[in-house]
Amino acid sequence: MKTKLLLFVCATFGALQINAQCSRSGSFMQSDPAYSISGTGGITFELNGDKNVVFDSNFMTVQGVDLRVYLSKTDDILAVGSDAIEVTTSPLLGDNGMTSPVLSPITGMKTFVINQTLYPNVNLSTYDYVVIQCIGINERWGYVNMAAANGPDCNLLSVAEKSLQESIAVYPNPANDYFEITNNSPNPISVNIYDILGNRVITSETSRLKKQSFSLANLNSGVYLVELKSDNQKLVKKLIKR
């Protein structure tokens, strides 16, 4: 039994490492002729629970006054019904590692992690646009109209409906002495935590609680796998203890 579990954990851990995924993407559209922008951008969901906005390596624009990145339901974050959320935590840096001078180049791949604590219910079908906004002059810099979802794991990530993947958040991660699980679905969940050798180190009863806390004080630093089950769905998330 333990051998089977070990094989399962190793296989799951390996799957997490290759970041199998589902994504939506499109080409950047230039909003103002004075500010060049090009390349590809979009939103990517991974089976390990990560949600990111990603600009591909062909991305290129110029520096503005405090450029920020948003997910939006419209191509203009100032429009009614945009419900825009910011995915940047600081201004975009130019190739010189600075936010100045204005019009200096910004090129290459960029990844922005969607904060699942602040925005736990973001799913692939909710937001159709990635928008770069110049906060300093309150002007849209450019935007992406994302195409349909594409990738090997779109069925597992339940693009069409809210899944366990969309309902559960594990944070903080990495964690120190404790972590929490929030459940934004109406269904109860059960939790098991395994070390990378397949040993179950923490278990909990099935619960409808919206938030549960778990102590890591007695565990060594390292990588653990959090297995969550609800009805016929199962989700495994990687957890790092510092």
Side-chain angles (χ1 to χ4, degrees):
M1 180 66 181
K2 185 174 179 179
T3 300
K4 291 182 179 179
L5 179 59
L6 177 57
L7 290 173
F8 162 75
V9 172
C10 290
T12 303
F13 185 72
L16 294 175
Q17 292 295 88
I18 63 173
N19 294 325
Q21 61 190 11
C22 182
S23 62
R24 298 177 65 193
S25 64
S27 298
F28 270 99
M29 303 294 294
Q30 192 167 327
S31 298
D32 189 317
Y35 312 125
S36 64
I37 189 169
S38 61
T40 307
I43 182 172
T44 297
F45 282 21
E46 300 176 356
L47 286 182
N48 66 1
D50 291 344
K51 303 177 182 180
N52 303 306
V53 170
V54 178
F55 298 170
D56 290 339
S57 58
N58 61 356
F59 172 73
M60 180 169 54
T61 189
V62 290
Q63 187 63 260
V65 184
D66 198 351
L67 296 184
R68 302 285 180 142
V69 180
Y70 293 80
L71 283 176
S72 178
K73 295 178 180 177
T74 66
D75 62 15
D76 184 350
I77 68 169
L78 302 180
V80 175
S82 71
D83 294 333
I85 61 172
E86 184 182 346
V87 297
T88 42
T89 56
S90 59
L92 293 185
L93 297 179
D95 290 354
N96 60 3
M98 302 170 62
T99 57
S100 62
V102 173
L103 300 185
S104 60
I106 305 175
T107 63
M109 189 171 187
K110 318 288 181 189
T111 300
F112 310 97
V113 178
I114 300 172
N115 188 318
Q116 294 187 63
T117 302
L118 296 177
Y119 311 112
N121 298 323
V122 174
N123 61 59
L124 281 163
S125 60
T126 302
Y127 292 90
D128 293 324
Y129 296 89
V130 175
V131 179
I132 299 179
Q133 188 81 0
C134 186
I135 301 301
I137 57 176
N138 203 27
E139 182 178 353
R140 184 179 61 176
W141 210 247
Y143 65 94
V144 170
N145 184 0
M146 294 183 287
N150 181 57
D153 301 294
C154 290
N155 59 328
L156 297 178
L157 289 168
S158 298
V159 174
E161 60 183 64
K162 194 172 181 181
S163 66
L164 189 63
Q165 168 76 26
E166 296 296 325
S167 303
I168 302 295
V170 175
Y171 63 92
N173 190 8
N176 291 318
D177 291 334
Y178 81 98
F179 74 98
E180 294 182 340
I181 295 175
T182 59
N183 176 19
N184 291 299
S185 78
N187 301 317
I189 62 169
S190 63
V191 180
N192 290 300
I193 302 173
Y194 299 91
D195 63 23
I196 60 173
L197 296 178
N199 300 305
R200 185 166 58 186
V201 294
I202 296 177
T203 189
S204 76
E205 298 295 328
T206 301
S207 172
R208 291 185 180 273
L209 290 175
K210 293 299 182 182
K211 181 182 289 187
Q212 299 182 64
S213 295
F214 296 86
S215 174
L216 300 173
N218 295 325
L219 299 181
N220 296 326
S221 298
V223 177
Y224 294 86
L225 296 175
V226 182
E227 179 192 66
L228 305 122
K229 292 182 178 180
S230 178
D231 293 335
N232 62 344
Q233 297 186 72
K234 181 169 69 174
L235 176 66
V236 177
K237 287 179 173 284
K238 180 173 67 174
L239 175 69
I240 299 173
K241 186 198 173 179
R242 292 192 177 105

